[in-house]
Amino acid sequence: MLRSLLLLSLLVAGSSALRSFVDPVVFASSYFDIPSQPQYKWNVSWYPNMPIDHFAYTDSRTFKLRYLINLDNYKPGGPIFFYTGNEGPIDGFANNTGLVWDLSLKFKAAVVFAEHRFYGETLPFGNNSYTNVSNLGYLSSEQALADYAVLIGYLKSTVIPNAANAPVIAFGGSYGGMLAAWFRIKYPHVVVGYDCYLFSLRLVPS
């Protein structure tokens, strides 16, 4: 009996730990802390009218998507280095992706870090974003990539000067690296190249 109770307690504890690990709210808030003293500089901006659903003609709802931008090294004719944000507040990724910042100086690039929907401060339904399956149905890589494509069009036409024809290079790591690769595949007219690291793709023969 004692052995059975001990085993049961371990299973319950393990189950609780697993739920805490995979819960996106707990994961994002505990693992990707916003740096108190960032080592890089950026301006925080918002795209105000991002569609909740990019693929439904009858859904006109929108939300605000947060992004970080730095134009200190940018020169007209230079590229846009675009980080495809992944599962956490975008500040943490911006502060720990030195490659993007180093290359921006060499290539005179604009730097943009876009926050993934449902993470950080980019919550399409505010405090209700995680309350039901209906809302969480809009948390997907397909919707996130469409967000990034819309954001890039807006940046080129409105925010970054003389950038209408600027080439865009996507960057990302882990899940963000997969997003960067998929971004180039699904939106080749938006992204001309990508750099990704610490990710894996399983190729399944058709």
Side-chain angles (χ1 to χ4, degrees):
M1 175 65 72
L2 181 60
R3 179 178 297 179
S4 298
L5 289 175
L6 179 59
L7 178 60
L8 179 60
S9 65
L10 289 174
L11 288 173
V12 171
S15 175
S16 177
L18 179 60
R19 286 198 301 272
S20 295
F21 178 75
V22 299
D23 187 317
V25 178
V26 175
F27 182 70
S29 62
S30 62
Y31 191 78
F32 295 100
D33 293 330
I34 297 174
S36 58
Q37 293 183 326
Q39 58 180 322
Y40 304 106
K41 296 189 304 179
W42 56 70
N43 293 318
V44 179
S45 297
W46 296 82
Y47 179 76
N49 298 309
M50 191 63 71
I52 292 283
D53 190 345
H54 291 274
F55 311 110
Y57 295 105
T58 59
D59 191 341
S60 60
R61 295 174 297 171
T62 61
F63 68 97
K64 295 192 300 181
L65 186 141
R66 187 167 70 120
Y67 66 94
L68 314 178
I69 186 168
N70 181 296
L71 302 179
D72 289 350
N73 297 321
Y74 173 71
K75 300 295 182 185
I80 299 171
F81 289 170
F82 188 92
Y83 186 93
T84 51
N86 35 316
E87 69 281 24
I90 195 61
D91 314 68
F93 297 113
N95 201 49
N96 290 282
T97 311
L99 175 66
V100 174
W101 300 99
D102 293 343
L103 291 178
S104 72
L105 178 61
K106 179 177 181 179
F107 290 97
K108 309 303 179 186
V111 173
V112 178
F113 283 78
E115 192 162 68
H116 196 297
R117 56 168 58 201
F118 285 86
Y119 291 100
E121 297 179 29
T122 301
L123 301 175
F125 300 97
N127 292 333
N128 294 320
S129 294
Y130 290 98
T131 57
N132 59 68
V133 175
S134 178
N135 289 349
L136 282 172
Y138 298 102
L139 171 55
S140 70
S141 58
E142 290 85 359
Q143 296 284 0
L145 291 177
D147 290 344
Y148 299 155
V150 169
L151 178 59
I152 287 173
Y154 166 74
L155 294 172
K156 282 187 164 188
S157 64
T158 306
V159 177
I160 303 174
N162 302 310
N165 298 314
V168 178
I169 308 297
F171 289 81
S174 188
Y175 167 51
M178 299 174 74
L179 288 173
W182 291 334
F183 202 14
R184 168 58 180 158
I185 293 170
K186 294 181 70 68
Y187 294 88
H189 60 292
V190 175
V191 179
V192 301
Y194 66 92
D195 182 270
C196 53
Y197 37 91
L198 297 177
F199 81 106
S200 62
L201 289 175
R202 176 176 294 177
L203 301 179
V204 180
S206 57

